[in-house]
């Protein structure tokens, strides 16, 4: 079963992005209302709004946290053509109590773009304090704070021109020294004739510049979001792409390819799912890179997981109305959506229960349904066992002769050696 | 709202998902207020519920963790495949943990309010079933059975898990009244039930309470049952000898039945037909599960059945059960069947649906793995045993890592995943919220144990940053030193020095004066440490030593730019001491330093004083040195 | 001996275990503290017989604690004081009539704090009868007395680093240890907020001091445990250099405990999961030896120290031990309380 609860995000318009800090204890939200809000979770899992400020003069598209080694730092990007870096400060201004309002200061405003800045992402911390932005005019910019302890000084290190408008970017989080820094950029250019829509850039230490090393030719439709899975010891990188469907792409570096001018990577599609039956807008990996969440206009979030032989499957479908139905304070939206139950004949809450085991157990959906049934039908008299070494006591035993040999003599595990 | 606008989701930590209505805005569309602006914007948090986190089940989690780790130890300490006896011991420990758990759930269910009661009863069912499956697995795969004759263990298993008929029989026997068949409606049910389980002692006892117990038919039946040979490894007979004896007994019973020896009572006759092995299915109404019939079948027709033959019997009975009972096999039945058919791949697939968050699959698979009983090939005939084993343990360990307090337990599973465990632990360990320093030390301990110096360094640095925010510069430095992060140590040393520049006060003297060799981690910190030492010497009147330190600080050129005026100013009183503390060589160094560094505006008003003092000191020094015999 | 270890799983990580000693009998009760859950507990335990006629610990009363329980000490027969990582210290009274129960007597709320009011973990406390001293991550020392609501004395900047442990050596003297291994002796008769002496746990490794214990009768003999698993012994009468130093456990020492009545016996437990019993094999000689040389003072030169591992190491840290006569209890992060009976103390 899923445990669910909801909060009112207090934004005046739709949220564009939610980002969690490294520990999942702080949440930053951004919205078309031009505000950024920061929420802190207490030990009882309640979220408290601790900061809210007007960050930009246009819709705020994305918000992202820096690694905690750089302090409490956020970056945002907006329709107003800027990206900004924010730092939380404590001390003088903070009111009494631990959960008073916090103050966030704009440490820098990156104004190089001439069009809407569509994405902003911090580099993996091993590369230092680096920030990449991309914009709708097709330029990717890499900024660096040379002194990681000084967030006010950022220099534009590189600008890379893609030929198409950029909608999203992702750093390869691989921490291995074997791979040069890598960025994937997606374009939401809708014309298939313009070719592949995901570009891979790598930084060459020798040339001190970023170069496009590959284009994923198999994706010609508009790309709305991309995400690298954390690479936990695999020989290839896994990239999730939100386009007209969900794609999971493997990018495998080929040995000795740089020298002889051949392709850098072997790129293959691990999985492709059109279960959303509509455009997929977002993809997001969990921290281990084991489960991918995808979402689209159908109002569903689908979770994808691979098994031990890298077979990808949908393990759960989360429906917006289902969520609402579970939290009582949200009754209005639940009823609003009741007319959609035709799509999913089962009650959405039951649907949740059914998909549950799959979350951790990579099961096929149809099989799971029968599992709870057999579990719940109490076939056996459990009440008869009592006592650690199965002493179900026989009342009024006539004579010793009727005793069966004592049940398997179970070593008492509580008597630890 | 999600339905109308669309939705998006972000992961929170390892296993939580935040879900929010979201409408994608394309690059080209204008930035304007959306049609949803008037609606309340909600964020929904979803997390799979983990039953293992209930306090009642945490005992199981922790205790089984201990057994799991003992097994892993065994793996490394034992080379040969002779760890069977230990494995049986561990298997029994796991089962005993399961039983303790069921028992506790039972107690809780009794004490609880109705809403909770259902929950506990449900959990009780889950874990009871797990134990039952485990028990059978243990019999078939872990226990070493002499001669491979599995029947005695199977009987035990069935008797243990279906005690109701025995209890029924005991109640009847307890009354000790002849004519029990007339007074107890369930008399024959308990007779047949016990007979199915091979509890012939009880059957005989029940027969003696029958109203016609004195009749010769009953006496003959009693006699025949008493003489039924029961196979026992230690009984002194080989399987062959036993089979001959058993066949003889069966033959003579068969003749008695044919000669209508038991026809006085049709029920008695049926019983004897069951025992002789000619009837079975008409007793299916006394069985709750197909495998009750299976053991009866084996007992009365194939008592020496060995494990490889079991599959055939199991399959036949299982299939017929479905047609006779008009039911289909449930998950548990399929598991038992797969176990008997030695299809462990199927077993592992099925046990993942047990709603126990992967506890069972991980631990049972691991046990079988270490017994050397696991050999799984995929459809391409590639051996995937290791991968399957690891993936189950990885999943379970990761689930545990997601808990506020059970992360240590989770880590100890990931530590035993040779392929991906290290990388995953490295990621998850860093996302554990830090909390008190005691907790941080425990997290660091796990990182150190797994040889993750970068993780240790990163955690220390993050704690150091937190200390800076809390205005605890000394403690921040302590953590910076633990992190061995040069830039960070330098940054903190700078803060100390700047504080001195602004306030003429050295903070955290107790720490800085006792840095020892740790100060060498960064040049700036070395400078700070030495500068502190200079102050210390100066403070206790050791001017000569203080002067020596000051000169070495100046010569070393380690001072940051903003600090030069302080260093040079510090030299002035020492140049003017009554006892000469700077040699001529020292003084030249000082003058050179002023030449190079004296342009600091803060020092401008002191330059002339400095030069004057230096000149005076130089003259004194030259005189003293000149008078010194070479 | 290992056979008589009895474990009870309690579903919470144990941070502290303390016997409620009786005057002329074996202790029948103990209290426990837990850590690392959002809400933790102090609990009051007795022993009950189970179906197998074994005595096993049974909780009779517990009280929720915000934050981790970081130390528990009995200040008299039926009252104990405990500290929490939310910066507070509380005195609890144990009652047995009409039923076993705990009652809160005094609370000092957030007496450890960062800046003005952010709670700082109280990391340790020690007591001399009713006088209590607490230390915390804020580097502060609070002197409390059980009868008084306000701290008797506060040394705000006692240490610029987090203090990890504290010991009340005598009524006017305390010893603190910080995360850099700096140990400071404080003379409470002095008005000045500076330590009387500073000594170093280890010159080289700069590991943290994790626990301190002094000899019950020869109070100048002090043992401190280090984050690297080492034990360091001082004779505070002579000088600030340790009289002996030895690497003992493979990981941080969690607690050091002298047997109250048989001080030749020392017990230590560690994050490595080990529980060790230290004593001197040449007991007869020691018994006669009325001078004040404790075997601890000479461990370096003679190899006649007897260290006995009381059980096979646990897979998780052991956080706390306590002994009453011949019965030892210990517990830790595997969420179990272990009882070890009939320990050979002499």
């Amino acid at each position: 079963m899923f445990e669910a609860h909801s909060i009112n995000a207090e934004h005046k318009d739709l949220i564009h992005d939610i980002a969690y800090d490294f520990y999942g204890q702080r949440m930053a939200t951004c919205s078309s209302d031009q505000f950024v809000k920061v929420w802190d979770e207490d030990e009882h899992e309640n979220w408290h709004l601790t900061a809210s400020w007007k960050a930009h003069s246009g819709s705020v598209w994305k918000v992202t946290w820096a690694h905690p080694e750089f302090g409490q730092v956020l970056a945002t990007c907006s329709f107003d053509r800027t990206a900004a870096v924010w730092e939380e400060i404590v001390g003088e201004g903070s009111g009494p109590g631990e959960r008073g309002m916090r103050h966030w200061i704009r440490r820098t405003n990156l104004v190089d773009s001439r069009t809407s800045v569509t994405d902003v992402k911090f580099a993996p911390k091993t590369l230092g304090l680096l920030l990449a932005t991309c914009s709708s005019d097709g330029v990717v910019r890499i900024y660096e704070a040379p002194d990681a302890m000084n967030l006010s000084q950022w220099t534009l290190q590189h600008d890379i021109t893609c030929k198409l408008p950029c909608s999203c970017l992702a750093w390869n989080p691989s921490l291995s020294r074997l791979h040069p820094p890598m960025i994937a950029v997606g374009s939401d250019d809708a014309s298939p004739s313009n070719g592949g829509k995901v570009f891979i850039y790598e930084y060459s230490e020798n040339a001190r510049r970023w170069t496009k090393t590959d284009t994923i030719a198999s994706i010609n439709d508009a790309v709305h979001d991309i995400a690298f899975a954390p690479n936990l010891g695999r020989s290839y990188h896994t990239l999730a792409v939100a386009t007209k469907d969900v794609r999971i792409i493997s990018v495998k570096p080929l040995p000795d390819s740089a020298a002889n001018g051949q392709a850098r990577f072997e790129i293959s599609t691990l999985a492709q799912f059109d279960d959303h039956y509509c455009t997929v807008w977002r993809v997001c990996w969990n921290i281990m890179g084991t489960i991918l969440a995808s979402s689209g206009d159908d109002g569903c979030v689908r979770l994808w997981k691979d098994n031990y032989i890298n077979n990808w499957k949908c393990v759960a479908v989360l429906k917006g109305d289902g969520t609402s139905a579970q939290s009582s304070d949200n009754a209005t939206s639940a009823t609003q959506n009741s007319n959609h139950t035709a799509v999913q004949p089962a009650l959405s809450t039951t649907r949740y229960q059914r998909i549950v085991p799959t979350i951790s157990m990579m099961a096929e959906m149809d099989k799971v349904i029968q599992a709870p049934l057999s579990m719940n039908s109490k076939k056996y008299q459990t009440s008869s066992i009592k006592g650690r070494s199965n002493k179900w006591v026989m009342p009024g035993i006539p004579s010793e002769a009727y005793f069966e040999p004592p049940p398997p003599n179970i070593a008492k595990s509580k008597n630890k050696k | 709202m999600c339905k109308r606008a669309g939705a998006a989701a972000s992961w929170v930590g390892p296993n939580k998902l935040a879900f929010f209505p979201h409408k994608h805005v394309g690059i080209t569309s204008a930035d304007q207020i959306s049609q949803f602006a008037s609606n309340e914007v909600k964020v929904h948090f979803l997390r799979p519920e983990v039953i293992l986190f209930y306090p009642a089940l945490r005992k199981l989690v922790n205790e089984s963790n201990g057994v799991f780790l003992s097994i892993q130890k065994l793996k490394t300490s034992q080379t040969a495949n002779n760890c069977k006896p230990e494995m049986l011991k561990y298997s029994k420990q796991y089962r005993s943990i399961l039983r303790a758990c069921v028992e506790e759930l039972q107690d809780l269910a009794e004490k609880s309010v109705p809403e909770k009661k259902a929950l506990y009863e449900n959990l009780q069912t889950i874990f009871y079933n797990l134990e039952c499956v485990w028990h059978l697995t243990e019999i078939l795969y872990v226990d070493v059975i002499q001669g491979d004759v599995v029947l005695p263990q199977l009987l035990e298993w069935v008797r243990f898990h279906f005690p109701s008929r025995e209890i029924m029989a005991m109640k009847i026997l307890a009354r000790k009244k002849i004519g029990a068949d007339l007074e107890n409606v369930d008399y024959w049910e308990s007779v047949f039930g016990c007979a199915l389980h091979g509890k012939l002692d009880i059957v005989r006892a029940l027969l003696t309470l029958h109203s016609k117990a004195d009749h010769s038919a009953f006496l003959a039946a009693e006699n025949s049952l008493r003489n039924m040979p029961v196979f026992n490894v230690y009984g002194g007979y080989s399987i062959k000898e036993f089979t001959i004896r058993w066949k003889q007994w069966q033959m003579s019973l068969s003749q008695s039945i044919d000669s209508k020896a038991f026809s006085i009572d049709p029920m008695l006759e049926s019983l004897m037909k069951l025992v002789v092995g000619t009837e079975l299915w008409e007793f299916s109404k006394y069985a709750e599960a197909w495998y009750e019939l299976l053991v009866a079948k084996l007992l009365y027709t194939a008592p020496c059945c060995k494990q490889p033959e079991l599959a055939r019997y199991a399959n036949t009975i299982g299939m017929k059960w479905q047609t006779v009972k008009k039911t289909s096999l449930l998950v548990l039945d399929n598991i038992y069947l797969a176990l008997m058919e030695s299809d462990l791949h199927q077993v592992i697939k099925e046990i993942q649906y047990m709603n126990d968050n992967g506890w069972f699959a991980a631990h049972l698979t691991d046990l079988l793995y270490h017994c050397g009983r696991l050999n799984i090939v995929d459809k391409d005939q590639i051996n995937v045993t290791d991968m399957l084993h690891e993936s189950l343990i990885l999943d379970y360990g990761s689930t545990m890592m997601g808990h506020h307090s059970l992360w240590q337990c989770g880590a100890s599973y990931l530590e035993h995943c040779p392929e991906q465990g290290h990388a995953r632990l490295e990621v998850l360990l860093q996302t554990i919220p830090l909390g008190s320093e005691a907790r941080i030390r425990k997290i660091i301990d796990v990182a150190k144990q797994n040889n993750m110096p970068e993780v240790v360094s990163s955690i220390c640095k993050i704690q150091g940053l937190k200390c800076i925010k809390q205005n605890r510069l000394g403690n921040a430095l302590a953590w910076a030193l633990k992190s061995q992060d040069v830039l960070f140590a330098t940054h903190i040393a700078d803060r100390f020095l700047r504080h001195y520049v602004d306030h003429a006060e050295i903070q955290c003297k107790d720490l800085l004066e006792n840095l020892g060799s740790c100060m060498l981690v960064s040049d700036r910190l070395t400078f700070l440490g030495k500068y502190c030492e200079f102050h210390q010497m100066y403070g206790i009147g050791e001017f000569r030593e203080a002067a020596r330190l000051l000169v070495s600080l100046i010569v070393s050129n380690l001072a940051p730019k903003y600090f030069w005026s302080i260093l040079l100013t510090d030299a002035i009183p020492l140049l003017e001491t009554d006892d000469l503390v700077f040699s001529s060589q020292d003084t030249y160094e000082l003058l050179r330093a002023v030449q190079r560094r004296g342009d600091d505006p803060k020092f401008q008003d002191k330059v002339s004083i400095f030069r004057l003092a230096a000149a005076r000191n130089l003259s004194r020094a030259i005189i003293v040195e000149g008078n010194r015999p070479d | 001996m290992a056979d008589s270890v009895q474990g009870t799983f309690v579903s919470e990580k144990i941070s502290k275990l303390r016997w409620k000693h009786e005057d002329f009998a074996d202790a029948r009760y103990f209290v426990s503290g837990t850590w690392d859950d959002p809400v933790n507990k102090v609990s009051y335990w007795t022993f009950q017989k189970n179906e197998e006629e074994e005595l096993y610990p049974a909780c009779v009363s517990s009280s929720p604690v915000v934050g981790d329980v970081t130390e528990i000490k009995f200040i008299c027969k039926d009252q104990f004081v405990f500290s929490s990582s939310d910066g507070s210290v509380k005195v609890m009274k144990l009652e047995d009539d009409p039923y076993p129960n705990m009652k809160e007597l005094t609370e000092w709320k957030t007496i450890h704090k960062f800046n003005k009011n952010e709670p700082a973990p109280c990391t340790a406390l020690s007591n001399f009868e009713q006088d209590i001293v607490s230390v915390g991550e804020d580097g502060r020392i609070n002197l409390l007395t059980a009868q008084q609501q306000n701290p008797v004395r506060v040394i705000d900047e006692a240490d610029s680093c987090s203090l990890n442990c504290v010991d009340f050596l005598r009524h006017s003297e305390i010893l603190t240890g910080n995360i850099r291994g700096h140990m400071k002796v404080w003379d409470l008769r002095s008005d000045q907020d500076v330590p009387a002496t500073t000594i170093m746990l280890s010159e080289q490794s700069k590991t943290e001091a994790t626990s301190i214990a002094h000899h019950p009768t020869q109070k100048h003999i002090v043992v401190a445990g280090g984050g690297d698993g080492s034990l360091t012994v001082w004779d505070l009468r002579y000088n600030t250099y340790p009289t002996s130093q030895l690497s003992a456990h493979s990981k941080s020492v969690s607690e050091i405990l002298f047997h109250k009545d048989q001080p030749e016996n020392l017990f230590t437990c560690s994050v490595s999961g080990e529980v060790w019993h230290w004593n001197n094999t040449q007991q007869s000689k020691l018994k006669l030896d009325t001078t004040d040389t404790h075997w601890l003072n000479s461990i370096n030169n003679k190899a006649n120290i007897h260290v006995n591992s009381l059980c096979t190491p646990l897979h998780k840290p052991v956080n706390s031990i306590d002994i009453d006569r011949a019965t030892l209890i210990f517990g830790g992060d595997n969420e179990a309380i272990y009882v070890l009976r009939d320990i050979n103390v002499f």
Side-chain angles (χ1 to χ4, degrees), chain B residues 25-38:
Chain B
V25 181
I27 290 174
T28 46
S29 49
D31 191 30
Q32 57 194 20
I33 293 167
S34 79
Q35 62 188 103
F36 304 101
S38 54

Side-chain angles (χ1 to χ4, degrees), chain A residues 3-19:
Chain A
E3 295 169 309
H5 70 276
S6 306
I7 57 161
N8 181 355
E10 298 175 25
H11 276 291
K12 296 194 183 72
D13 204 340
L14 283 181
I15 295 176
H16 287 296
D17 198 15
I18 294 188

Side-chain angles (χ1 to χ4, degrees), chain B residues 66-86:
Chain B
V67 181
F68 173 82
L69 291 173
S70 302
I71 293 176
Q72 311 306 309
K73 251 189 192 161
L74 204 68
K75 178 180 68 173
T76 47
S77 63
Q78 292 218 350
T79 45
N81 272 345
N82 58 354
C83 54
K84 281 279 168 59
E86 276 95 342

Side-chain angles (χ1 to χ4, degrees), chain A residues 46-306:
Chain A
N46 301 314
W47 290 94
H48 303 272
L49 180 66
T50 56
S52 174
W53 70 98
K54 184 171 180 296
H56 289 275
S57 52
S59 283
V60 187
W61 300 135
K62 294 280 170 67
V63 59
T64 186
W65 291 86
H67 191 278
E69 275 185 34
F70 302 114
Q72 297 299 313
V73 179
L74 283 173
T76 53
C77 64
S78 162
F79 184 80
D80 71 1
R81 305 173 186 184
T82 66
V85 176
W86 309 85
E87 186 181 25
E88 183 186 52
I89 53 154
V90 286
E92 307 81 46
S94 61
E98 202 190 352
R99 296 198 187 104
M101 292 302 273
R102 308 294 183 106
H103 291 256
W104 288 79
I105 289 186
R106 173 155 44 209
R107 288 300 186 193
T108 197
N109 207 17
L110 307 169
V111 295
D112 301 284
S113 173
R114 291 197 204 121
T115 52
S116 172
V117 182
T118 49
D119 204 351
V120 60
K121 293 274 158 56
F122 283 102
K125 67 156 186 179
T126 44
L127 299 178
L129 189 49
L130 254 64
L131 192 65
T133 64
C134 66
S135 48
S136 52
D137 58 358
V139 182
V140 176
R141 294 183 174 84
I142 315 269
Y143 297 89
E144 182 179 26
D147 176 6
M149 304 303 293
N150 182 358
L151 294 162
S152 319
Q153 279 185 8
W154 289 82
T155 52
L156 175 62
Q157 266 201 324
H158 305 278
D159 48 9
I160 315 159
T161 311
C162 311
K163 299 210 169 55
L164 297 170
C166 302
S167 57
C168 50
L169 69 85
W171 287 87
N172 184 344
S174 168
L175 302 176
S176 163
R177 281 167 206 86
L178 299 171
H179 313 297
M182 186 198 288
I183 291 180
V185 180
S187 168
D188 64 353
D189 178 88
S191 155
S193 57
N194 285 337
K197 296 290 153 44
V198 176
F199 314 107
I200 292 177
Y201 293 89
E202 282 183 293
Y203 182 68
S204 156
E205 200 64 57
N206 298 330
R208 295 178 170 244
R209 55 187 289 255
W210 288 85
T211 41
K212 179 150 78 177
T213 46
D214 224 321
T215 303
I216 298 178
S218 60
I219 300 172
N220 288 321
D221 298 290
V223 166
H224 307 290
D225 198 10
I226 50 177
F228 273 108
N231 185 344
L232 304 186
R234 282 186 307 263
S235 61
Y236 56 90
H237 312 295
T238 313
L239 185 68
V241 181
T243 172
K244 63 174 196 219
D245 50 18
V246 184
R247 306 272 179 103
I248 299 169
I249 307 282
S250 112
V251 179
K252 187 175 190 174
L254 294 170
D256 311 322
S257 58
N260 51 26
Q262 286 172 351
R264 276 281 288 135
F265 305 107
E266 182 189 313
I267 292 176
S268 52
T269 305
L270 295 175
Q272 180 169 0
F273 300 105
D274 55 3
D275 302 35
H276 283 285
Y277 300 110
C278 63
T279 306
V280 180
W281 297 121
R282 301 296 284 266
V283 281
C284 179
W285 291 98
N286 73 346
I287 197 156
M288 298 170 285
T290 51
I291 305 178
L292 177 73
S294 68
S295 53
D297 274 342
D298 59 351
C300 289
V301 173
R302 286 170 209 271
L303 304 184
W304 312 90
K305 189 179 190 305
D306 67 342

Side-chain angles (χ1 to χ4, degrees), chain C residues 191-237:
Chain C
D191 298 336
Q192 306 237 285
D193 288 349
V194 287
T197 335
T198 300
I199 51 183
M200 293 294 151
L201 185 64
S202 144
E203 280 304 325
Q204 295 313 315
S205 62
K206 297 290 175 195
T207 184
E208 64 258 31
T210 55
S211 55
I212 315 174
H214 64 265
H215 190 286
T217 51
Q218 301 162 43
K219 301 203 169 183
H220 49 270
I221 297 180
V222 170
V223 193
D228 56 356
S230 65
L231 287 190
T232 310
V233 187
W234 288 273
D235 187 328
L236 289 178
R237 288 169 307 173

